[in-house]
Amino acid sequence: MIILHVDSSITAENSVTRSIGEAAIARLRTLHPDAEVRRRDLASDPLGHVTLGDLGDASIAEEFLSADVIVVGAPMYNFSIPSNLKAWMDRLAIAGITFRYSDKGAEGLAGGRKLIIASARGGFYGSDTRQAWLDHQETYLRGFFEFLGVTDIAFVRAEGIAMGPDARAKALEDAKTQAAAIAA
Ligand SMILES: Cc1cc2nc3c(=O)[nH]c(=O)nc-3n(C[C@H](O)[C@H](O)[C@H](O)COP(=O)(O)O)c2cc1C
């Protein structure tokens, strides 16, 4: 088994998503002791905005497709995702490799793998909140990866990170409990 571990938070050792992602990786290592974990840190090693020259390069998509499980640390930045994570995703969606258009419409080609998203946000965006419509982070990630055919998507989430130290600690603790319960 190959696990790809991707991070995008800029806050290094203070990062909630990095901490949750580590907990998910620890759980996966327990479940799959022989797994190989490959690492991509988009904050310390950014890819840069996608350019015309990048369009012929499938190496990032191939790295993604080589993995059976992908763990992505994805904080909410300005109601969406960090631009370094978007730059990675811009290199994943390649017609003929991760999706294709046929007479039936768009078809994802990247199914058969599991995606675990380590999510954190300062506020609350659940369906029972007034801000729910501003969640262009988790909704975007789900829509994008489902477009590529990845339907096995689990969110491990810490919300209310900006609501004070107690709320932050509890959210992180809850998320680590969720990570420890990852089934496969
Ligand atoms: C540049 C930036 C933009 C942010 N934008 C939002 C936002 O729009 N909504 C929100 O609830 N929290 C926002 N936050 C708070 C983060 O989502 C929160 O602190 C989260 O824990 C960040 O992930 P990290 O701890 O892994 O870095 C933002 C934080 C940063 C640094």
Side-chain angles (χ1 to χ4, degrees), residues 137-148:
Q137 171 216 14
E138 292 192 7
T139 54
Y140 174 62
L141 290 163
R142 182 181 290 284
F144 176 86
F145 284 105
E146 285 189 358
F147 177 84
L148 300 186

Side-chain angles (χ1 to χ4, degrees), residues 3 5-6 36 38-39 46 48 66 69 72 77 80 90 92 107 113 115-116 126 139 142 152 167 173 177 180 183-184:
I3 300 168
H5 182 192
V6 179
E36 176 192 342
R38 297 178 179 169
R39 192 81 173 99
S66 74
V69 183
V72 178
Y77 282 2
S80 179
D90 284 340
L92 288 184
E107 182 191 355
R113 47 190 46 75
L115 176 64
I116 298 166
T139 54
R142 182 181 290 284
D152 186 356
E173 197 56 41
T177 304

Side-chain angles (χ1 to χ4, degrees), residues 64-149:
F64 181 85
L65 292 173
S66 74
D68 304 289
V69 183
I70 303 99
V71 176
V72 178
M76 178 183 276
Y77 282 2
N78 297 306
F79 310 112
S80 179
I81 58 170
S83 55
N84 61 33
L85 182 57
K86 176 65 163 54
W88 178 71
M89 291 162 65
D90 284 340
R91 289 163 172 86
L92 288 184
I94 303 180
I97 294 184
T98 48
F99 74 95
R100 72 176 165 215
Y101 287 110
S102 69
D103 51 0
K104 293 185 220 77
E107 182 191 355
L109 302 175
R113 47 190 46 75
K114 184 178 182 69
L115 176 64
I116 298 166
I117 309 252
S119 167
R121 45 256 197 125
F124 293 93
Y125 298 86
S127 55
D128 57 336
T129 66
R130 273 197 310 144
Q131 307 82 255
W133 70 282
L134 286 171
D135 176 9
H136 306 296
Q137 171 216 14
E138 292 192 7
T139 54
Y140 174 62
L141 290 163
R142 182 181 290 284
F144 176 86
F145 284 105
E146 285 189 358
F147 177 84
L148 300 186

Side-chain angles (χ1 to χ4, degrees), residues 31-79:
L31 293 171
H32 310 285
D34 297 333
E36 176 192 342
V37 180
R38 297 178 179 169
R39 192 81 173 99
R40 181 164 285 282
D41 192 327
L42 298 166
S44 63
D45 194 10
L47 295 167
H49 294 303
V50 71
T51 65
L52 185 58
D54 292 316
L55 295 184
D57 179 359
S59 57
I60 295 293
E62 280 160 5
E63 179 186 62
F64 181 85
L65 292 173
S66 74
D68 304 289
V69 183
I70 303 99
V71 176
V72 178
M76 178 183 276
Y77 282 2
N78 297 306
F79 310 112

Side-chain angles (χ1 to χ4, degrees), residues 9 11 14-17 75-79 120-123 125 161:
S9 166
T11 58
N14 293 321
S15 164
V16 173
T17 56
M76 178 183 276
Y77 282 2
N78 297 306
F79 310 112
R121 45 256 197 125
Y125 298 86
I161 291 304

